[in-house]
Amino acid sequence: MKHKLQRAFALLLLMPFLFSCATYNKSMDSYYSNIREQNYDKAMHSLENNKLIKKDRNALLYNLEMGKLYRLQNDFTNSNMHLNIADGIIESSRKSVADIAVGSLVNPMHQTYRGEDFEQFMMHYYKALNYVALGQVQDAVVEARRITLSTGLQGDKFRNKENRYSKDAFALNLQGMIYEMAGDINNAFIAYRNAAEVYLKSNNDYYGVKMPMQLQKDLLRTATTLGFTGDQQEYEKLFEASYKQDDADNGELILFIEEGQAPIKEEKNFVLTAGSNGVGNFNYIDANGLNSSFNFNANAYGIAEDKLVSLRTFRLALPMYTVQYAQQQNVVVTNSTNTYTPQLAQNINSVAINVLKERFLTEMANALARQVTKKLLEKGTQALAEGIARSTDKREAKDTSNAENEKVSREKKETIQAVGQVAGFVMNMVNTATEKADTRNWQSLPAFVSYVRIPLHAGENNITVNTNGQLTTLKVNAGKGLQMMSVLVK
């Protein structure tokens, strides 16, 4: 019996290799490679045949990716069909008991994906541009109003703390553009002002973006148009600039320039060891190589603190972003008479990395709670197996020598312990193999979004985007008011 159990141990050592350890990005590699190469038909085929993203728990990601993919093919109707489905998933998403359980007993990759907060704002951006491209300006206005709702929920979530991602300056700026396009100058002014205040409260550096000069001009222009002299003078003093009316009789184009791909989530392992300040206090090496302390409130997760006494070392798998596209390229936009330099409006590299940093301790606490639960389950499984082995082992001491009886008793005890060890080891291997970080994210988003506002000439305008010598030409017909377009550069 003992030798059989030893062989079982050897076999169980191979168990981790039976579990897939691929990150979400690796599982989606074919799709993202085709996106980068602009092979959109192949990308569609890869997406439709990927079993991971077609799972119910990844429905949000599937529809976000489909929405982006159709937009890249200028199919704005189908793009918004999927983005609206994604919007509905976000709006109705609630954590179920089963979802919480699978996150606690397996890993968060098996929970329903609810999206990063900035992904929701980027969804509004694409939906609005789709409606504009379809000539449905009033539907774009509805999207602008949804930005207000999302901003309110985001602010409530973090109680509008200035050191948290409680607003999205880019989304508020976009909101102003949409209202202005629809002729609602009053709401445009409010949105521009709200966006400007986000930058001002963050010392003019909001997640890697300084306040665009164009936003300052738009705020001054709408204040002047509305006759808000006091606001105009206040912002002229603040910006150290005066309002100058532009010649835009033939309308203007707001051109968004998207560069690169968003950072990917990868798994990073941390080892927590018991600290010297009592139960619930742990030490770990942080991302900078420094020894940091972490206090875990076990009661908040329904775990009795006395259970932590014998569980003092843990390996935690946490998500970390890795930048794919680090630097903006030299992009210049020209029409027949003028040259324009786009201004950075959204730095998704910075937003993604810093938002994850802001919730690092929450992620660690959730991962630790999951590991404590697994460890307790492991110990319970071992005890249960020993109990079953004890009740099923019917051998009894016979009327023989004491030495023989002691031998039988010793073998029985060893067998029971071995059964318990195997059961505990099996559970340990399963727990170890299934400990994974949630590495899912909307990876076809760009790394950077810049924009430029170009006055149009009468008739057809040729707008050229020069990216380090690589030219992209857009043909835009003049008209009254604003138009919006986007272009993707490599």
Side-chain angles (χ1 to χ4, degrees):
M1 179 66 179
K2 186 175 180 180
H3 297 298
K4 290 181 180 179
L5 292 173
Q6 288 175 338
R7 288 196 296 271
F9 268 108
L11 179 62
L12 289 169
L13 286 171
L14 300 174
M15 284 188 64
F17 300 99
L18 303 178
F19 293 85
S20 172
C21 60
T23 63
Y24 173 77
N25 178 261
K26 292 295 183 183
S27 301
M28 296 283 290
D29 183 63
S30 174
Y31 169 70
Y32 289 118
S33 294
N34 285 315
I35 287 284
R36 284 190 293 271
E37 297 302 318
Q38 299 183 359
N39 296 323
Y40 299 137
D41 288 340
K42 290 183 178 179
M44 182 72 74
H45 182 266
S46 295
L47 193 65
E48 290 289 8
N49 287 278
N50 188 289
K51 294 180 179 179
L52 175 63
I53 202 167
K54 295 297 286 290
K55 291 182 180 296
D56 289 345
R57 64 176 183 267
N58 293 323
L60 175 60
L61 278 169
Y62 171 75
N63 283 287
L64 289 174
E65 292 293 358
M66 286 291 285
K68 179 68 186 291
L69 185 52
Y70 273 118
R71 176 166 175 79
L72 289 170
Q73 299 174 88
N74 296 321
D75 187 342
F76 307 115
T77 298
N78 276 317
S79 175
N80 262 4
M81 179 189 75
H82 284 282
L83 292 177
N84 281 324
I85 293 173
D87 200 351
I89 292 171
I90 292 173
E91 189 173 5
S92 62
S93 183
R94 297 289 184 274
K95 285 188 177 180
S96 66
V97 174
D99 215 33
I100 294 172
V102 76
S104 299
L105 298 175
V106 186
N107 63 60
M109 277 282 284
H110 285 77
Q111 291 181 306
T112 300
Y113 185 73
R114 291 174 174 80
E116 295 284 357
D117 295 326
F118 67 87
E119 292 175 351
Q120 179 175 353
F121 286 112
M122 290 303 295
M123 177 191 67
H124 292 310
Y125 160 71
Y126 284 121
K127 285 177 66 179
L129 287 185
N130 284 341
Y131 285 130
V132 170
L134 292 168
Q136 300 170 1
V137 175
Q138 288 307 310
D139 288 320
V141 170
V142 172
E143 207 57 40
R145 292 177 183 141
R146 288 190 57 74
I147 290 174
T148 297
L149 294 173
S150 295
T151 300
L153 291 173
Q154 189 72 2
D156 292 341
K157 183 177 180 179
F158 296 114
R159 299 181 182 178
N160 290 309
K161 291 180 180 178
E162 293 179 13
N163 62 340
R164 297 298 298 268
Y165 180 67
S166 56
K167 292 182 176 66
D168 190 286
F170 171 59
L172 293 171
N173 192 5
L174 171 68
Q175 185 182 48
M177 300 173 201
I178 297 170
Y179 281 131
E180 189 175 355
M181 173 183 285
D184 187 348
I185 305 303
N186 186 69
N187 275 323
F189 166 77
I190 293 171
Y192 289 141
R193 182 183 62 191
N194 290 340
E197 286 179 354
V198 172
Y199 289 109
L200 293 172
K201 288 181 179 179
S202 63
N203 296 317
N204 196 27
D205 188 358
Y206 195 70
Y207 292 93
V209 179
K210 296 186 182 301
M211 187 190 304
M213 290 293 295
Q214 186 60 57
L215 173 58
Q216 298 179 21
K217 292 179 181 179
D218 293 340
L219 182 54
L220 289 173
R221 186 187 62 260
T222 51
T224 303
T225 301
L226 292 167
F228 295 165
T229 306
D231 291 293
Q232 177 190 340
Q233 293 174 347
E234 176 188 350
Y235 287 114
E236 282 182 337
K237 181 179 179 180
L238 194 61
F239 300 149
E240 297 181 349
S242 57
Y243 170 66
K244 294 180 181 179
Q245 185 171 356
D246 295 324
D247 180 15
D249 293 338
N250 297 299
E252 294 175 287
L253 171 68
I254 295 177
L255 180 63
F256 294 97
I257 295 95
E258 301 179 8
E259 294 184 62
Q261 279 190 285
I264 63 174
K265 276 183 186 173
E266 295 187 321
E267 181 176 294
K268 182 175 177 62
N269 288 296
F270 292 82
V271 176
L272 269 66
T273 55
S276 59
N277 295 325
V279 174
N281 177 259
F282 295 91
N283 295 323
Y284 68 96
I285 305 299
D286 66 17
N288 298 315
L290 300 176
N291 195 303
S292 299
S293 62
F294 173 71
N295 291 313
F296 176 62
N297 183 2
N299 293 328
Y301 292 85
I303 300 169
E305 286 194 350
D306 60 352
K307 298 292 186 182
L308 297 178
V309 174
S310 60
L311 308 175
R312 310 306 285 152
T313 302
F314 300 89
R315 179 187 70 84
L316 307 183
L318 299 178
M320 289 286 175
Y321 276 110
T322 299
V323 170
Q324 301 184 90
Y325 191 97
Q327 297 289 335
Q328 287 186 271
Q329 298 189 67
N330 182 26
V331 179
V332 176
V333 180
T334 59
N335 60 8
S336 57
T337 57
N338 294 302
T339 298
Y340 302 88
T341 301
Q343 299 171 50
L344 183 62
Q346 182 76 304
N347 183 340
I348 292 179
N349 282 346
S350 181
V351 172
I353 290 171
N354 283 290
V355 165
L356 200 52
K357 282 182 179 179
E358 288 169 8
R359 70 166 192 265
F360 173 76
L361 293 181
T362 300
E363 291 275 354
M364 181 167 280
N366 290 337
L368 181 53
R370 181 171 65 251
Q371 283 292 68
V372 170
T373 301
K374 287 181 175 183
K375 288 285 187 182
L376 294 176
L377 185 61
E378 179 183 323
K379 286 180 175 293
T381 301
Q382 182 171 340
L384 178 62
E386 289 180 359
I388 294 173
R390 189 176 295 110
S391 65
T392 56
D393 192 335
K394 302 300 185 181
R395 288 180 296 169
E396 297 180 357
K398 298 179 180 180
D399 188 15
T400 56
S401 67
N402 289 335
E404 187 67 24
N405 286 336
E406 287 178 4
K407 179 182 178 182
V408 171
S409 179
R410 185 173 60 253
E411 289 178 348
K412 180 178 179 180
K413 184 177 180 180
E414 288 177 353
T415 300
I416 291 170
Q417 289 177 340
V419 169
Q421 288 172 1
V422 169
F425 188 71
V426 169
M427 186 57 65
N428 177 269
M429 288 293 97
V430 172
N431 288 342
T432 300
T434 58
E435 177 58 17
K436 291 169 63 69
D438 190 350
T439 54
R440 295 171 293 179
N441 70 312
W442 188 6
Q443 292 171 15
S444 63
L445 287 176
F448 304 100
V449 181
S450 303
Y451 77 118
V452 62
R453 187 163 176 150
I454 306 170
L456 299 174
H457 303 293
E460 186 177 79
N461 291 252
N462 290 321
I463 309 296
T464 301
V465 180
N466 185 333
T467 310
N468 291 332
Q470 183 176 343
L471 305 181
T472 302
T473 301
L474 307 172
K475 295 186 180 297
V476 183
N477 291 316
K480 293 294 181 181
L482 287 179
Q483 299 185 52
M484 289 187 197
M485 299 177 67
S486 71
V487 61
L488 175 65
V489 300
K490 287 188 176 181

